[in-house]
Amino acid sequence: MPDRLPESFQIDLSIEAGDWPAEAQLEAITAKAVAAAFAGADLEVLEGTEVSLLFTDDASIRQLNAKWRDKDKATNVLSFPGSDPQGDVYGPLLGDIVFAYETVAAEAADLGIEFSDHLTHLTVHGLLHLFDYDHQESEEAELMESLEKAILASLGIDDPYADRPLVADGG
């Protein structure tokens, strides 16, 4: 597992609301997750590409989820793709990933896993969405989940989908 991000790749991290860990800890968790995702999914970006990570609360993410997905409820993570790819290469504005503290913390507790491991998984999950990976149909969900499991395994994190059936989001 590489221990660094692609050259000139930038992570713009903002804490808006919620009882999140310190910014330095969030930076360490997310940078490690992003580096592992780049290696594990063989992702490519243009030089100088940037991703924005927003750490907020359930109330804020519920508003975003209602506005952009017509789902009036909080969720753990939302991804908003930025610029269109140039072939298979993405950037320079990769997009935004938004996390909701209460939901992330409750899920980690319910699953009996470390908060940082769950946040790592959601960072990988959100990043893959920015590269057009999806889980609307069963085949897409299988591909995305297999990538997530391999990336997380490279970090020593257990399979987050173990003992859970594959469920696609679409119809």
Side-chain angles (χ1 to χ4, degrees):
M1 199 283 310
D3 58 358
R4 64 184 181 87
L5 295 168
E7 195 165 323
S8 78
F9 185 81
Q10 297 293 314
I11 297 174
D12 178 24
L13 188 145
S14 300
I15 302 171
E16 175 185 76
D19 194 21
W20 292 98
E23 187 171 333
Q25 187 178 357
L26 289 175
E27 287 173 353
I29 292 167
T30 56
K32 191 173 181 179
V34 169
F38 270 92
D42 198 25
L43 305 175
E44 293 185 50
V45 292
L46 297 171
E47 186 172 329
T49 294
E50 175 183 321
V51 67
S52 173
L53 305 180
L54 176 62
F55 295 87
T56 192
D57 58 14
D58 277 7
S60 293
I61 209 164
R62 180 179 180 163
Q63 290 176 346
L64 291 171
N65 206 18
K67 180 176 182 176
W68 297 104
R69 298 179 67 224
D70 292 321
K71 295 185 179 187
D72 190 16
K73 64 179 185 173
T75 188
N76 51 18
V77 63
L78 290 173
S79 296
F80 298 95
S83 53
D84 290 329
Q86 297 177 20
D88 289 334
V89 181
Y90 289 71
L93 300 174
L94 188 54
D96 304 311
I97 305 172
V98 184
F99 304 88
Y101 178 77
E102 295 91 340
T103 299
V104 174
E107 289 173 347
D110 289 346
L111 295 168
I113 60 175
E114 293 292 324
F115 179 87
S116 61
D117 287 353
H118 192 46
L119 182 57
T120 297
H121 173 214
L122 296 174
T123 302
V124 169
H125 184 89
L127 187 73
L128 288 176
H129 276 308
L130 297 182
F131 284 90
D132 291 330
Y133 286 93
D134 214 334
H135 44 84
Q136 294 300 307
E137 304 294 330
S138 292
E139 191 172 297
E140 295 172 334
E142 254 179 65
L143 173 61
M144 188 169 176
E145 286 185 14
S146 68
L147 274 174
E148 289 176 46
K149 290 189 279 191
I151 292 163
L152 295 172
S154 77
L155 296 169
I157 297 174
D158 291 336
D159 176 359
Y161 299 108
D163 302 323
R164 291 186 357 207
L166 177 71
V167 178
D169 281 350

